[in-house]
Structure formats: C-alpha cells, structure tokens
Amino acid sequence: MKTRIRELRKMRKLSQEELAEAVGTTRQTITSIEVGKYTASLPLAWKIARFFGMTIEEVFDFSEFEE
Amino acid sequence: MEFKKKLKQRLYIAVSYIVIGLVLIAADALNHFENHYFASFGMALIVMGILRLIRHRKVTKDEAAIRRQEVAETDERTLMMAEKARSWAFTYSILIAGIAVIILSLLGKHDTAQPFAWFVCGQVVLYWICWLILRKKY
C-alpha cells in the first residue's frame, strides 16, 4: 500500500526511529510501511495519521481498493 | 503497567527454574540414582534460570529499556511474522510428514510410516478443532 509517511516525516524532519517511538512501534515496521512491504493495522494507521494531524485517508492511499 | 506485570511473572519463572533445578540436584545427590538424569536436568534448569535472570536484569535496567522491550514484543509486524512463521512451520511439517508416509509406504516400511501417518492425522484434527474454536470466537 502506498503511503505519504516518508514525505510527511521528511517535511517535519523526523527520523523513522522518532516516528516509531511516537506511535509505539519499531523502526523496522515504519520502514516496511514506507516501502509498501507491510500494511499497517487500523489502530497503527490511526496513530500515525493522528500523529501528523491528518485523517487516515490523507496519509494512506486506498485507491487500489476503489472499484 | 500490564507489561511490568508480565516482566515480574518472568522473574518468578526464572527463580522457579533455579529452585526446581536445585531441588532436582539435591534429590539426585540424596538418592544416588543410577544415571544422573535428575542432576543433569536440574543443572540445565539452573542455567536457563540464570540466563533468564540476566536477560530480565538487562531488560529492566531503566524505564526506557522496559519501554523498548515492550515495543519490541508488542510490535504488530513482529507478531504478524511470528504468526506467519508458526503457520508455515505447521504447513511444512504436515507436508514433510505426508511425503515421508508416501515414501516409507512405497519402500514397504509400514511400521515406520505409521507414526508419521498418525502425526499427520493428529495435526489435521487439531487444526479443525482450532478452526472451530476460532469460528465461534470471531
């Protein structure tokens, strides 16, 4: 799944480690989500979106699920 | 808070290992068994207990270390990988045992094939029991 996490993180000059700590996950999980290897669960997606002050749809790209 | 409780339980388990190990060694020394199975098992438990204590000490060094460990253990990707690994291990163990049954049967070694066949049957039955429980739960 495509996300805007890397872009948002860079805009705020945050490292993966810092974001991971803020949302209670590991740096490796953030890396996997950023490169699209792993899709975050709903609670984690919500935490990430809330951290950036956005909605889940603004951070995660759900276009592949649209018919 | 919950995780700290978990850590405390782990500490108790480590201490229990050491105590049980000591009891087994003492039982072995007092009863003069033919082989020193109890003493060896007791020693293994003590070593395991000590290793667990060392790890516990490392993990509970400070609040940051506890938090790091909690995140590492509850990280959803890690949990997903662990679950997938268990699922793969289960699938491949059935597959390998199934292949062993076929090969051993073709070789005429029916006595050796039988435990493997029972193992496959047992695993499949267990799978369906788990599936039914999970279906009820979710």
Side-chain angles (χ1 to χ4, degrees):
Chain A
M1 179 186 254
K2 285 179 193 162
T3 76
R4 288 181 59 213
I5 295 174
R6 179 168 286 171
E7 174 200 331
L8 295 166
R9 193 169 53 74
K10 292 261 159 89
M11 274 165 60
R12 285 162 177 77
K13 292 188 170 62
L14 278 169
S15 68
Q16 289 180 330
E17 190 80 55
E18 286 165 330
L19 174 61
E21 208 179 310
V23 296
T25 190
T26 59
R27 184 190 56 77
Q28 290 89 337
T29 299
I30 296 295
T31 309
S32 290
I33 296 169
E34 280 188 359
V35 297
K37 274 190 187 171
Y38 175 72
T39 304
S41 68
L42 190 56
L44 181 59
W46 178 78
K47 277 185 197 172
I48 293 170
R50 203 172 76 145
F51 176 79
F52 289 120
M54 295 175 157
T55 62
I56 290 177
E57 290 96 324
E58 284 171 326
V59 180
F60 294 85
D61 180 11
F62 289 95
S63 59
E64 62 181 294
F65 301 108
E66 283 170 5
E67 285 183 22
Chain B
M1 200 63 198
E2 272 303 304
F3 188 68
K4 281 187 180 173
K5 230 184 226 175
K6 211 177 193 180
L7 287 174
K8 211 168 224 178
Q9 279 176 353
R10 285 180 193 169
L11 178 67
Y12 294 147
I13 290 170
V15 174
S16 310
Y17 278 175
I18 295 171
V19 172
I20 295 168
L22 288 171
V23 169
L24 286 177
I25 289 173
D28 190 276
L30 293 172
N31 291 298
H32 303 293
F33 294 120
E34 251 179 57
N35 53 26
H36 293 287
Y37 174 76
F38 279 99
S40 319
F41 192 59
M43 190 53 82
L45 279 177
I46 290 172
V47 171
M48 266 171 64
I50 290 169
L51 289 175
R52 275 175 166 258
L53 277 182
I54 293 168
R55 190 175 149 74
H56 183 271
R57 201 179 152 77
K58 201 176 149 191
V59 166
T60 55
K61 198 170 53 184
D62 51 46
E63 281 297 320
I66 294 172
R67 175 81 187 127
R68 265 200 309 275
Q69 188 64 22
E70 185 178 6
V71 167
E73 283 186 30
T74 56
D75 175 53
E76 61 176 51
R77 182 175 144 272
T78 310
L79 296 178
M80 181 272 288
M81 288 191 301
E83 207 160 293
K84 259 200 168 147
R86 280 196 294 272
S87 164
W88 284 9
F90 172 79
T91 305
Y92 288 120
S93 69
I94 289 188
L95 203 68
I96 291 165
I99 291 168
V101 171
I102 294 167
I103 292 171
L104 290 167
S105 299
L106 288 173
L107 293 171
K109 296 182 176 177
H110 300 290
D111 285 348
T112 320
Q114 206 173 27
F116 285 102
W118 279 114
F119 171 74
V120 174
C121 289
Q123 292 270 68
V124 172
V125 169
L126 196 63
Y127 170 81
W128 282 109
I129 291 170
C130 294
W131 194 84
L132 287 170
I133 292 168
L134 289 172
R135 194 176 70 162
K136 242 184 185 175
K137 194 176 174 187
Y138 300 105

